[in-house]
Amino acid sequence: MPTSRVLWWGGIAAAATGAVLCVVGWYGVSGERFAERQVPYLASCTVPGAALIVAGSVLAAGAVLGAGAVLGAGVPLRRPPADGAGQEPGGAPDRPSSDAPPVRVPGGTLAHRPDCPLVAGRAEAVPAADAELDPCPVCEPGS
């Protein structure tokens, strides 16, 4: 069963359970005249019910959006090679190291190396030229 389907139905079940708890808590509170006798209904039904509604909504939204949208679809994830090649002695992957002139995306505020994973393969990347841009923290052009 796909993960998104489990998230969706889990979210629906949590939200429905939360709604039932809120109704039970409201019904219990409405039958009590004194505030000190209403508190147990709030603590045992209404507050947990509201928490379940929020949690269920988050789960259902996660299923609808999918994992790719949450992680930033369109930005390729860079994984180190399985054989360890291309890594620094400490085990961290090398930074992009192109010596070509920096590039930027139109409207962007960062200068990138052409092989930076944030702009690599993007057709709209243009030379940075003399634009005053901050260096990308991922590829650190100019260092």
Side-chain angles (χ1 to χ4, degrees):
M1 178 179 269
T3 304
S4 62
R5 193 172 278 178
V6 172
L7 286 176
W8 172 255
W9 287 110
I12 296 297
T17 303
V20 168
L21 280 174
C22 283
V23 168
V24 169
W26 171 80
Y27 184 76
V29 166
S30 69
E32 296 295 336
R33 182 174 178 181
F34 300 106
E36 57 273 0
R37 295 189 69 185
Q38 295 174 355
V39 172
Y41 292 105
L42 292 174
S44 64
C45 291
T46 306
V47 173
L52 280 173
I53 290 172
V54 170
S57 300
V58 169
L59 287 173
V64 170
L65 293 176
V70 173
L71 293 175
V75 177
L77 296 177
R78 182 174 171 212
R79 298 179 190 258
D83 63 355
Q87 289 189 353
E88 296 173 356
D94 290 335
R95 288 192 183 99
S97 61
S98 173
D99 290 329
V103 297
R104 66 180 177 93
V105 292
T109 60
L110 299 175
H112 303 272
R113 294 179 190 260
D115 59 342
C116 177
L118 300 176
V119 296
R122 293 183 69 173
E124 65 267 15
V126 296
D130 292 334
E132 291 190 29
L133 302 169
D134 294 326
C136 171
V138 174
C139 64
E140 298 178 348
S143 61

